[in-house]
Amino acid sequence: MAPLLREALDRQGHHAVAVSVRALGREDAFARPTGQVPADGGSAADGSAVPVHLYGRHAIVGPRTTPAEGDRPASPCAHCLARRWQAVRSVALREALELGGPTHEAGPSPHAFGFAADALAALVAHAHGRPGKGPFPDVHLMDLEKLDVRRYPLVADPQCPVCSRPAPDTPEAAAVTLAPAPKHAEGTFRIRGIDAYDIEVAAFANPVCGALGPSVVHDVSSTSTSATIGCFSMRSGDYLRETFWGGHAGSFAVSARIGVLEGLERYAGMRARGKRTAVTGTFEELGPRAVDPRTVGLYSEAFHEANPHVTPFAVDRPLPWVWGYSLRDRAPRLVPEVLTYYHSPGLENRFVQESSNGCASGGSPEEALYFGLMEVVERDAFLLTWYARQPLPEIDPATSSRATTRHMVDRLAMYGYRARFFDARISFPIPVVAAVAERVDGGLGRLCFGAGAGLDPESALDAALCEIATDAVNLRGRTERDEVRLRGMAADFDKVTALHDHPLVYGIPEMAAHAEFLLGGQTGTLRPVAGLRWPDASGAGVSPDLRDDLERCVSAVVDAGFDVVVVDQTLPEQRLLGLYTFSVLVPGLLPIDFGWSRQRALTMPRLRTALREAGLRDRDLLAPDLNPAPHPFP
């Protein structure tokens, strides 16, 4: 096709238009060493030629690369496109490219003929005259059989070995200085609304180069929210790990934008893509500058005996570390990379498998840190409640001041679910709400759980309600379709191995017995939502400035004897959108794990002592006191 395209360009008078043609799917685009020039000689990377990529009957034109200028980074290069394209291919093709060997053409292309070359030349000339603009420039897909053309925005790959420029990870760069962060509206903890972000969903979900996968699906079967779902895959050793993201709002358009934010948050937290980590050492060597992994929880000896491929942590074991920052001590702290980037390369370094717990995004560092801390506090409280089988005061949702909350509770009732809410504050005065959607007839899809935390009790309850409102109405069908496997889990908890197993097994009616401590025997008057309010010294529940709210919550955690260590995970593409992502780690609080054999919470001192310290029990817990069933957190 390359000679035909050159001839067509010259015939159309575009003699000065340079073009580089290469095939996609011939080699693993993720395997190119850093700094290696692409197969087209680099012309596509410096913007002097229009890249054309060919695969089957498709030709992809672009991107036109523009150099960095001032604070604006360089636009994505041709190798970014190759990596993004490969990331959204089928599992079979990716397995062949990434685990197999190089490929070659099966024969001459049936699409290399003059008329197709003429059409492609016209598209190349159009792209040459319109270099990429904006944060995510366009590429164009031409179907060489139908000759139709579609446009797709391309997001630069932050790990592209040709054009990315990751920042060095240093203690100076890890420092966090909290700044004023006025909220954009009363009753919110965001500095701007979702519509204020220039999010083009197609840049992140498209079948050619979607940064977060090939598509976003509208869940038209959902009867409670206009839910959207997307998924991207990332190689972890010999397998491709699927990561799902989504949004749950009142319209599909808003849900898709929320879903993109969630997808970027998860993409940012899985690997250090925007920075270049450099510290390797043992905990013994690093000393007080480092977070002690033992305070974050380790697996039991029985787990390591059953899983000898997972090497346990040892103080003299060399590990990779990243720089974080202690909000308590106002000083840099080293954090094991696997505790903050939970799918970082190097399976041999994963002495535990962390999750996205504590990772959050926002329009400012203060916003991201607030929501990350709320997530850590919320899940610690939920796990304490569940594993300690701690009864909680029940909240009356009818006392909510938000009509949308009351209406959603009524909507769930219409579909056969009673929404129940509980005051889950244990160690901190920060409002925490545990939520349960309970199928009133006791059938399949029996229980669905969620939780929320925040300084505003209404917002905490709304967050918990949002989780159960979306999941509960689908739980019955999911339980019916997977009943045999789920009943096997209910009979043998060792079969609970994955994230989705935890909430789904509670669709089996018999599992409700393990939640009887919470749902049964409730007596007394229900607590009003406003009863969870935690006023500050002035009597105000919240501040108009999010920085004040964050500092107040950090102080509550620190006053209880804990540190708050944060790591900036922000991606370059998030910075272009005015977004930040941080991981928040509170050593000593219970971490959430998925898989019954991986429950670090069961081995941690806090599970035994926290309820006594909070005045809820008269002694530390013993092994017989603990819930024998896996947590149901989604």
Side-chain angles (χ1 to χ4, degrees):
M1 178 61 83
L4 287 175
L5 180 57
R6 182 69 265 167
E7 292 173 8
L9 285 166
D10 292 341
R11 190 167 53 250
Q12 295 173 15
H14 304 302
H15 306 286
V17 176
V19 63
S20 62
V21 180
R22 62 183 300 196
L24 291 168
R26 292 192 61 180
E27 60 181 7
D28 181 4
F30 295 125
R32 186 181 304 281
T34 300
Q36 182 175 326
V37 176
D40 57 20
S43 59
D46 61 22
S48 61
V50 178
V52 175
H53 295 80
L54 301 174
Y55 181 77
R57 72 185 197 191
H58 291 151
I60 305 172
V61 177
R64 286 294 310 282
T65 303
T66 56
E69 183 178 339
D71 293 334
R72 180 180 59 79
S75 62
C77 73
H79 195 59
C80 287
L81 174 63
R83 289 168 63 92
R84 294 296 196 194
W85 177 88
Q86 184 172 315
V88 297
R89 293 309 98 198
S90 67
V91 170
L93 179 56
R94 288 196 61 179
E95 295 287 349
L97 283 173
E98 297 166 21
L99 300 181
T103 65
H104 58 84
E105 295 88 345
S109 170
H111 309 294
F113 56 91
F115 188 72
D118 285 341
L120 186 56
L123 184 58
V124 168
H126 169 80
H128 184 269
R130 295 167 60 91
K133 294 182 179 180
F136 310 129
D138 294 337
V139 297
H140 293 84
L141 174 72
M142 174 175 280
D143 186 319
L144 296 175
E145 285 186 1
K146 301 177 181 178
L147 298 186
D148 59 4
V149 177
R150 297 187 179 184
R151 176 194 72 86
Y152 298 100
L154 172 64
V155 180
D157 188 324
Q159 291 184 296
C160 175
V162 175
C163 70
S164 67
R165 301 293 183 267
D169 184 30
T170 64
E172 295 77 19
V176 175
T177 301
L178 300 181
K183 301 171 185 176
H184 79 94
E186 186 177 353
T188 183
F189 290 84
R190 300 287 183 184
I191 67 168
R192 60 180 69 93
I194 185 71
D195 293 333
Y197 295 98
D198 186 19
I199 300 171
E200 188 172 7
V201 174
F204 300 95
N206 74 68
V208 172
C209 54
L212 295 175
S215 63
V216 56
V217 177
H218 293 179
D219 183 6
V220 296
S221 66
S222 176
T223 54
S224 55
T225 61
S226 298
T228 57
I229 305 167
C231 177
F232 63 86
S233 298
M234 188 178 67
R235 183 159 297 285
S236 182
D238 289 336
Y239 74 99
L240 282 172
R241 183 187 188 278
E242 288 186 323
T243 298
F244 289 88
W245 50 267
H248 312 285
S251 74
F252 288 122
V254 174
S255 291
R257 292 165 65 84
I258 293 172
V260 165
L261 295 180
E262 180 178 80
L264 283 171
E265 177 183 297
R266 293 182 176 176
Y267 190 72
M270 298 179 84
R271 293 184 178 178
R273 305 177 198 270
K275 64 177 66 171
R276 185 173 61 254
T277 59
V279 178
T280 300
T282 69
F283 178 67
E284 274 184 337
E285 295 168 342
L286 299 175
R289 294 186 302 163
V291 171
D292 186 344
R294 292 169 294 189
T295 64
V296 183
L298 301 174
Y299 294 146
S300 65
E301 291 183 6
F303 171 85
H304 287 291
E305 290 173 1
N307 298 272
H309 61 284
V310 180
T311 306
F313 169 77
V315 295
D316 59 350
R317 176 183 170 188
L319 293 170
W321 303 72
V322 297
W323 282 105
Y325 190 75
S326 167
L327 295 181
R328 179 191 66 186
D329 301 334
R330 305 294 180 186
R333 286 284 182 275
L334 283 164
V335 179
E337 187 173 5
V338 297
L339 292 184
T340 188
Y341 291 105
Y342 47 96
H343 275 283
S344 55
L347 295 177
E348 69 279 3
N349 295 319
R350 293 188 199 167
F351 53 89
V352 296
Q353 177 57 68
E354 261 296 356
S355 67
S356 62
N357 186 37
C359 299
S361 297
S364 69
E366 296 75 21
E367 184 180 322
L369 292 170
Y370 171 81
F371 281 98
L373 180 58
M374 292 305 99
E375 189 167 280
V376 171
V377 168
E378 160 207 308
R379 294 179 181 185
D380 170 77
F382 189 94
L383 291 173
L384 281 172
T385 297
W386 182 262
Y387 284 127
R389 294 190 281 197
Q390 174 61 34
L392 299 175
E394 189 162 1
I395 302 165
D396 184 0
T399 64
S400 171
S401 63
R402 297 186 182 182
T404 53
T405 294
R406 301 192 303 273
H407 293 165
M408 184 59 74
V409 170
D410 291 342
R411 190 175 186 86
L412 282 174
M414 183 174 67
Y415 290 108
Y417 280 92
R418 178 188 177 193
R420 300 178 65 179
F421 305 91
F422 301 89
D423 180 357
R425 293 174 295 174
I426 293 177
S427 297
F428 313 111
I430 301 166
V432 181
V433 175
V436 185
E438 183 180 18
R439 183 171 171 180
V440 294
D441 66 2
L444 290 177
R446 181 72 173 85
L447 298 175
C448 180
F449 293 80
L455 275 183
D456 176 21
E458 293 282 358
S459 297
L461 188 144
D462 182 67
L465 173 60
C466 185
E467 288 189 348
I468 63 172
T470 299
D471 295 341
V473 294
N474 297 317
L475 183 59
R476 186 181 312 183
R478 296 180 72 179
T479 306
E480 290 172 350
R481 290 190 295 271
D482 208 11
E483 183 177 356
V484 173
R485 188 177 73 91
L486 294 176
R487 286 194 178 279
M489 290 181 196
D492 180 3
F493 294 150
D494 286 336
K495 295 180 180 179
V496 176
T497 60
L499 185 152
H500 297 294
D501 295 343
H502 283 262
L504 288 179
V505 73
Y506 286 88
I508 300 299
E510 297 91 307
M511 291 297 292
H514 299 293
E516 187 65 17
F517 72 91
L518 184 64
L519 303 177
Q522 287 287 335
T523 59
T525 305
L526 299 187
R527 183 165 295 184
V529 177
L532 278 69
R533 184 171 174 267
W534 173 36
D536 64 11
S538 70
V542 296
S543 167
D545 192 314
L546 189 55
R547 179 179 64 174
D548 297 339
D549 291 342
L550 171 62
E551 290 180 333
R552 185 170 156 208
C553 293
V554 169
S555 294
V557 173
V558 169
D559 290 346
F562 301 94
D563 194 3
V564 179
V565 180
V566 303
V567 178
D568 188 350
Q569 300 175 325
T570 309
L571 296 166
E573 53 264 47
Q574 290 178 307
R575 294 192 190 279
L576 290 173
L577 295 172
L579 290 163
Y580 300 82
T581 296
F582 277 82
S583 169
V584 178
L585 186 69
V586 180
L589 295 194
L590 299 187
I592 193 158
D593 290 302
F594 300 97
W596 180 231
S597 66
R598 295 178 177 268
Q599 299 301 301
R600 287 175 287 164
L602 294 174
T603 70
M604 293 183 67
R606 176 167 171 76
L607 183 58
R608 271 74 175 172
T609 64
L611 294 173
R612 174 187 54 77
E613 292 168 351
L616 297 173
R617 299 287 178 92
D618 58 5
R619 60 172 177 82
D620 289 347
L621 301 184
L622 302 175
D625 300 318
L626 303 183
N627 199 326
H631 71 76
F633 199 86

